[in-house]
Amino acid sequence: MASSEDTPAMSAPEKPIYVGYATSAHPPPKSNGAPTQSKPENETQLSPAEQKKLKKAEAKARREKQVRERQAAGGAGPSKGSPQQGQPGNKGGADKSQSQSQESSSGRGQPSSGPKESNKRSEGAGHNHADTHRALPIRGTVKRGGSTLGLPQKDVKEVALFGHLYGQPRRMSVAGAARDIHPAVLALGLQMSSYIICGSNARCVATLFCFKRVIESYNTPPGTTLTRHLTSHLSPQIDYLRSCRPLSISMGNAIRWLKLEISQIDIDTPESDAKLELCDAIDNFVRERITAADQVIASSASEKICDGDIILTFARSSIVQQTLFRAFERGTQFRVIVVDSKPLFEGKALARSLARYGLQVQYCLMQTIGHAVKDATKVFLGAHAMMSNGRLFSRVGTALVAMMAHEADLPVIVCCESLKFTERVALDSVVNNEVAPSEELVTLPSPASSLSSSSSGTPGGGGRAHGHGTPVGVGGGGGVGGGGTGAGGSESGMGPSSPSDDQKNLQLLNIMYDVTPAEYIKMVVTEFGSLPPSSVPVVHRLSTNQ
């Protein structure tokens, strides 16, 4: 039996096995003679995926810390002279936070990255911080030269209920207009915004004749056709007119008709023939839908005026004026009461025209409407548009006149062309309306305007048909006294003498139109005949299908 000494022993390994450098009594081998750093105990190497995950966690922790610091500071921007972390002025901030995070991670038993990875992470941290945590401006302040300066907010003079109607301010000059706007369109826009051309029919006719001049000077670009390009050429012209003043219902219907006519032109038609055809179509449209329609309406409505009638009307309507002229030419003896209101005082021009024609005219303001309806026998009103639900959309104050006439049991007759009919429905005057500059309500009259011509019993100072001015007095007999507002007179100034500038709590609302309920209207006279307000959508459908 062999002894244990004779049993050959197992040979030990020539080289020690290193397992995490923790159980080996010998130091790790040296490479290239460089001294090795002492590693903490119980430390294991991390895989690349774990290292990437660790970097993301460190960056997230830094971002959360910076957010907490910003919230603690009250959201204020960086002070002048102290640059933000991650910005060029504070290069050491990111490095310092990076070294602190490395020390904290090494204290938890995690390895630190080399110098390249450290620099790369510091650059990435600064970039993320600059992109995601840039100082945001505080509302109501303007940043100038790195500092924020608080600016006092301007007092808002807008009425909140009509806030949706306050859009782009009305254009009062040609400054800033596009280069492709025709000169005729530029002039027309200024005339509309200053009320030189006022009234639905006048604006519609002026717009069509202006587009006729645009078509005459139009040249089709190479590579396209007139049918396809002319419509896009008219679009900036229409936008400019809309910036001067919102389009009326009749203007919108006329523009849609014109675009339809352009689209129906054959593309093989020569340009000169196509332009001549469009110009002739515009002339026929104005002649049939406006001029001839007004004559038919005036002839039909004048038959409803009898001897001894006292006709009450509001502001100025061209079709009502023609009706009164036609009735006077037939030899009917009647008297007219013109009710007017500010700021346009359109009734002054109507009163002057009627007085010059020989009619007996009484002029009064809206404040005396209660006394005026006591003497009247019929009420004739013009229209800006007739809605599909039978309601009248006209100059502001029309609804008050119709309501007072309805209470006094007076028939209210509306004279309106079918061109002003629309498929829209209006229930109030709030949703759709036009807001004019509020300064027109409070402008102080010019000292030069006087009532010197009232003694002669004839209208004074002729001039502009639709202008601002001081209210004229009630004329005796067949005349109307008043101060002129045209070339020979002086109109009220629109300077800085407005008292609203001194009243901080004063909010002015200058709406242009109101809505009259259908039950206040007795009859609507059109070129298709006299009909009730409920038949408006039928006539509109017939007129658009022609």
Side-chain angles (χ1 to χ4, degrees):
M1 185 173 180
S3 61
S4 60
E5 295 178 358
D6 298 334
T7 304
M10 296 180 61
S11 60
E14 298 179 356
K15 295 182 179 180
I17 299 176
Y18 301 101
V19 182
Y21 306 122
T23 59
S24 175
H26 301 280
K30 301 180 180 179
S31 60
N32 298 330
T36 58
Q37 297 178 356
S38 60
K39 300 291 182 179
E41 295 183 355
N42 300 329
E43 184 176 359
T44 58
Q45 289 183 345
L46 300 177
S47 63
E50 293 176 345
Q51 293 180 0
K52 185 177 181 180
K53 185 177 181 181
L54 177 62
K55 294 177 183 179
K56 290 183 178 180
E58 293 175 355
K60 183 178 179 181
R62 286 194 299 272
R63 288 194 296 267
E64 292 177 353
K65 180 180 178 181
Q66 292 166 357
V67 170
R68 289 193 298 268
E69 291 177 354
R70 289 176 56 82
Q71 293 178 352
S79 60
K80 189 173 181 181
S82 59
Q84 215 175 354
Q85 279 192 354
Q87 300 295 335
N90 191 10
K91 297 182 180 179
D95 298 336
K96 184 176 180 180
S97 61
Q98 181 67 24
S99 61
Q100 290 177 356
S101 61
Q102 290 178 359
E103 292 176 2
S104 60
S105 63
S106 62
R108 292 191 300 266
Q110 297 176 352
S112 61
S113 303
K116 288 185 177 181
E117 297 181 357
S118 175
N119 294 335
K120 190 180 297 183
R121 279 188 293 178
S122 63
E123 294 174 359
H127 179 72
N128 294 336
H129 172 70
D131 290 345
T132 60
H133 299 287
R134 187 179 292 109
L136 299 178
I138 301 176
R139 182 175 297 179
T141 60
V142 177
K143 193 171 183 179
R144 296 179 179 177
S147 61
T148 56
L149 299 176
L151 296 179
Q153 296 184 354
K154 186 179 179 180
D155 294 338
V156 179
K157 297 289 186 178
E158 300 177 356
V159 180
L161 181 61
F162 295 84
H164 60 284
L165 300 177
Y166 294 95
Q168 188 71 18
R170 181 179 295 182
R171 182 187 293 272
M172 302 300 295
S173 65
V174 298
R179 294 185 298 176
D180 55 349
I181 304 299
H182 196 274
V185 179
L186 295 175
L188 177 61
L190 295 182
Q191 290 173 344
M192 288 184 179
S193 61
S194 58
Y195 304 110
I196 295 178
I197 297 180
C198 189
S200 182
N201 283 346
R203 293 167 60 192
C204 182
V205 173
T207 301
L208 289 176
F209 285 159
C210 182
F211 286 164
K212 181 180 176 181
R213 296 183 58 184
V214 173
I215 294 173
E216 291 174 349
S217 61
Y218 169 79
N219 293 321
T220 305
T224 183
T225 60
L226 181 142
T227 305
R228 298 180 178 179
H229 185 264
L230 182 57
T231 303
S232 60
H233 178 69
L234 291 177
S235 296
Q237 323 289 333
I238 299 172
D239 294 338
Y240 175 81
L241 293 179
R242 186 181 290 112
S243 66
C244 295
R245 191 177 174 189
L247 303 180
S248 63
I249 298 296
S250 58
M251 291 173 64
N253 292 335
I255 290 173
R256 281 191 292 270
W257 167 85
L258 180 59
K259 289 184 177 181
L260 181 62
E261 290 291 323
I262 295 174
S263 64
Q264 292 178 351
I265 296 178
D266 190 2
I267 59 176
D268 297 330
T269 305
E271 180 179 346
S272 57
D273 297 342
K275 291 164 60 175
L276 182 61
E277 181 180 349
L278 287 176
C279 293
D280 293 341
I282 291 176
D283 293 337
N284 292 332
F285 183 86
V286 174
R287 186 182 309 111
E288 295 176 2
R289 299 297 302 274
I290 299 179
T291 305
D294 288 350
Q295 294 176 359
V296 173
I297 294 173
S299 177
S300 177
S302 62
E303 297 177 356
K304 298 174 174 53
I305 301 178
C306 304
D307 290 333
D309 280 343
I310 301 177
I311 306 301
L312 187 144
T313 185
F314 174 70
R316 185 191 185 188
S317 172
S318 60
I319 184 62
V320 172
Q321 179 176 329
Q322 294 183 30
T323 300
L324 298 177
F325 286 165
R326 183 68 60 88
F328 183 76
E329 291 172 355
R330 293 174 53 189
T332 307
Q333 300 296 325
F334 64 96
R335 188 160 57 93
V336 181
I337 301 176
V338 178
V339 181
D340 205 2
S341 67
K342 64 185 312 183
L344 297 182
F345 293 108
E346 297 176 281
K348 290 200 305 183
L350 176 61
R352 292 192 186 100
S353 300
L354 296 177
R356 289 170 181 169
Y357 210 75
L359 279 78
Q360 295 183 359
V361 184
Q362 177 182 349
Y363 180 89
C364 61
L365 295 179
M366 182 62 74
Q367 292 85 338
T368 61
I369 182 63
H371 298 279
V373 295
K374 294 180 180 180
D375 300 332
T377 58
K378 292 184 179 69
V379 178
F380 279 77
L381 298 175
H384 178 82
M386 287 296 300
M387 302 296 173
S388 291
N389 56 349
R391 300 201 171 194
L392 172 62
F393 190 74
S394 188
R395 181 75 68 215
V396 61
T398 305
L400 179 59
V401 173
M403 181 184 66
M404 296 295 295
H406 180 75
E407 292 295 329
D409 199 16
L410 299 179
V412 178
I413 302 174
V414 177
C415 301
C416 180
E417 303 88 344
S418 61
L419 182 61
K420 299 179 181 179
F421 288 6
T422 179
E423 68 281 357
R424 301 178 186 176
V425 175
L427 300 178
D428 51 41
S429 307
V430 179
V431 178
N432 293 317
N433 213 317
E434 178 184 352
V435 176
S438 59
E439 292 80 8
E440 298 175 0
L441 294 176
V442 293
T443 49
L444 300 179
S446 174
S449 60
S450 61
L451 301 177
S452 58
S453 59
S454 60
S455 57
S456 60
T458 59
R464 240 175 28 167
H466 302 274
H468 304 276
T470 56
V472 297
V474 179
V480 180
T485 62
S490 174
E491 64 182 60
S492 61
M494 300 201 49
S497 59
S498 171
S500 64
D501 298 337
D502 301 332
Q503 302 293 334
K504 296 183 179 180
N505 298 327
L506 179 61
Q507 294 179 339
L508 300 176
L509 177 64
N510 186 14
I511 58 175
M512 298 292 294
Y513 306 102
D514 61 11
V515 176
T516 303
E519 54 267 21
Y520 294 162
I521 301 173
K522 182 70 174 180
M523 182 187 304
V524 179
V525 182
T526 68
E527 66 267 29
F528 294 95
S530 303
L531 46 93
S534 58
S535 301
V536 169
V538 180
V539 175
H540 176 63
R541 185 164 55 250
L542 293 175
S543 61
T544 54
N545 292 335
Q546 289 182 350

